[in-house]
Amino acid sequence: DRIAELAASLKAAEKKIAAFEARALAERVPSLAAQASAVGAFQFVADGIGAAGSQDDLRSLVTSVRDRLGSSPAVVALGGEIGGRPVVIVATNDEARRAGAKAGALAKAAAAALGGGGGGRDDIAQGGGADAAALPAALTAVREALGKTAR
């Protein structure tokens, strides 16, 4: 009986922590969007966010930043560590896709730098690997791949 009570208490605490982490990530959206820089015709945001609770949390953050950038061509690439493994999620908006940016190809470029694999749809994709220290290089790889698209 005591074990069930402790398990329920632990589960409630884990839910509170997850909600707090999600709120903390959501609060970062304005500052991340403000970091947008031009890569050719694209608005581009790339940043490492450190540890993330889940891929869903990171994906939600990426899409929120993308949506905040408006209707001009925008690409967002955010990297983080989930369970000690590096992950980069890339999202593009409609205008960016019309201009040739494909999230799947950009995520593959990131994953190659991380020593892993990646891909996905044209609008949102992810890549991962084993080398968390390579996250900055992975985000640079996305910028470089986008630069080739921008020509």
Side-chain angles (χ1 to χ4, degrees):
D1 201 35
R2 177 80 175 128
I3 292 172
E5 194 176 295
L6 288 172
S9 178
L10 177 61
K11 192 169 193 107
E14 287 172 343
K15 278 186 176 180
K16 283 182 182 176
I17 290 168
F20 175 76
E21 288 173 344
R23 255 194 325 275
L25 284 178
E27 289 171 2
R28 294 180 69 176
V29 170
S31 64
L32 286 167
Q35 293 178 24
S37 62
V39 175
F42 300 98
Q43 289 186 82
F44 180 62
V45 174
D47 202 3
I49 65 155
S54 71
Q55 288 182 359
D56 288 342
D57 289 346
L58 186 55
R59 187 176 297 109
S60 176
L61 181 61
V62 169
T63 56
S64 294
V65 173
R66 177 194 63 192
D67 294 347
R68 188 165 185 117
L69 292 175
S71 61
S72 61
V75 176
V76 178
L78 298 179
E81 282 186 59
I82 299 169
R85 296 186 61 88
V87 174
V88 174
I89 297 183
V90 181
T92 59
N93 66 5
D94 289 339
E95 287 302 314
R97 290 190 295 280
R98 280 191 204 98
K102 301 202 179 321
L106 297 172
K108 275 187 183 171
L114 295 172
R121 302 187 317 250
D122 290 347
D123 64 328
I124 190 160
Q126 70 183 45
D131 186 5
L135 271 170
L139 295 171
T140 298
V142 174
R143 177 181 287 278
E144 290 170 356
L146 183 62
K148 292 175 185 165
T149 302
R151 290 190 189 133

